[in-house]
Amino acid sequence: MTTTRGLRIALQLQPQHAEYARIRETVARAEELGVDVLFTWDHFFPLDGDPAGRHFECWTMLAAWAEATSRMELGPLVSCTGYRNPDLLADMARTVDHVSGGRVILGLGSGWYDRDFTEYGYELTTPAERLDDLTRALPRIEARLAALNPPPVRRMPVLIGGGGERRTLRLVARHADIWHSFGDPDTLRQKADVLRRHCAAVGRDPAEIEISGSVGGGPSPAGEPDDLGPKLRDLGVTLFTLGVDGPDYDLTLLRRWLAWRDAQ
């Protein structure tokens, strides 16, 4: 996928095991360092380490980040459509968009962590059924965003994460402005080819969809910028997304990615 977009660095700040004061300090430091996009995740419990460890909710924290920052785009990577009524989720995103002055990226997904569903009282359905819910939610979210008064500050970019070739990438082709991908360059090449076919089927130019690639942290493949960066860039990735975990939030690798971005 060819693109004329500039390269951007995103940080997914994972809100587990940390005091909120440390999270707030890391948010400020990320903006000072020049991060382009700040993400969190939409879970209710830590994904690793102490299962009873500290943790904070996605959207209330995003509202606080919207007030505490002035330049970075921000959003969930990704918000599960099974946790909130889709119309309510659209309204929440619109509200945070206004708090931020028009900087929200609306990341959406179907959810996967069983504990989030069971302990918060949501029905634990199958992965296919959760994709059904996401498929139904996307038009509702789009319609609610169009009906709200006031509307979002800008046309809010929608991000969809995942690589399911039959269904998820078809949703990306129909609805997304950004596709968040996982896996190594060979996997990304295969998935991007599938996405191009889905775009052709719905009459959409795949160049309209920005590609976000995971470059370290959590379940994503880690790699030094000079090794992984050019490979992903040549495959069309322009948003390089790095995860960082609490409680200490070591930003050493983030600094290397920012320096690599600036050298291009």
Side-chain angles (χ1 to χ4, degrees):
M1 294 183 182
T2 58
T3 179
T4 58
R5 296 184 183 94
L7 304 185
R8 304 197 293 164
I9 302 298
L11 178 69
Q12 186 194 50
L13 202 164
Q14 299 160 358
Q16 58 179 9
H17 306 304
E19 298 279 359
Y20 187 73
R22 178 56 61 88
I23 293 175
R24 184 173 59 241
E25 291 168 4
T26 307
V27 168
R29 185 63 177 147
E31 184 153 75
E32 179 184 339
L33 287 171
V35 167
D36 297 292
V37 182
L38 183 67
F39 290 121
T40 187
W41 64 29
D42 190 15
H43 295 289
F44 304 129
F45 304 96
L47 296 187
D48 53 39
D50 180 2
R54 292 186 180 92
H55 198 275
F56 294 97
E57 192 274 333
C58 170
W59 280 98
T60 44
M61 192 165 57
L62 283 170
W65 293 1
E67 281 283 10
T69 60
S70 61
R71 183 189 53 78
M72 293 182 291
E73 291 183 284
L74 49 91
L77 186 62
V78 290
S79 194
C80 174
T81 53
Y83 299 159
R84 302 166 189 85
N85 174 288
D87 294 85
L88 172 62
L89 179 57
D91 202 344
M92 292 165 61
R94 181 281 309 255
T95 300
V96 177
D97 192 52
H98 277 264
V99 174
S100 71
R103 293 182 284 126
V104 166
I105 293 173
L106 181 51
L108 299 170
S110 58
W112 60 272
Y113 189 40
D114 290 2
R115 188 184 179 196
D116 286 337
F117 286 90
T118 57
E119 292 207 27
Y120 271 58
Y122 301 111
E123 182 182 3
L124 182 60
T125 56
T126 67
E129 289 170 327
R130 294 197 292 271
L131 272 172
D132 290 340
D133 288 341
L134 176 61
T135 301
R136 289 188 294 265
L138 284 162
R140 285 182 61 182
I141 289 168
E142 292 167 351
R144 180 57 55 190
L145 288 173
L148 288 167
N149 183 18
V153 176
R154 61 172 177 171
R155 182 186 174 280
M156 190 183 300
V158 169
L159 176 152
I160 296 176
E165 296 184 5
R166 186 174 67 88
R167 299 189 63 187
T168 301
L169 292 178
R170 185 170 63 198
L171 292 175
V172 172
R174 288 187 177 277
H175 298 281
D177 302 286
I178 305 170
W179 167 46
H180 182 72
S181 60
F182 300 93
D184 58 26
D186 288 340
T187 301
L188 175 61
R189 182 180 294 105
Q190 173 188 335
K191 303 294 184 182
D193 286 343
V194 173
L195 179 57
R196 274 191 286 267
R197 292 197 292 272
H198 283 304
C199 286
V202 300
R204 188 170 183 198
D205 182 355
E208 296 175 2
I209 302 171
E210 183 174 15
I211 303 177
S212 166
S214 291
V215 295
S220 308
E224 289 294 328
D226 290 338
D227 175 49
L228 186 58
K231 294 177 182 177
L232 294 178
R233 180 193 59 203
D234 290 347
L235 292 170
V237 174
T238 56
L239 182 59
F240 298 81
T241 302
L242 172 73
V244 63
D245 195 11
D248 297 322
Y249 297 115
D250 182 355
L251 301 183
T252 302
L253 186 57
L254 172 67
R255 291 185 177 91
R256 293 175 187 154
W257 277 98
L258 290 167
W260 177 81
R261 175 202 65 189
D262 295 343
Q264 302 311 301

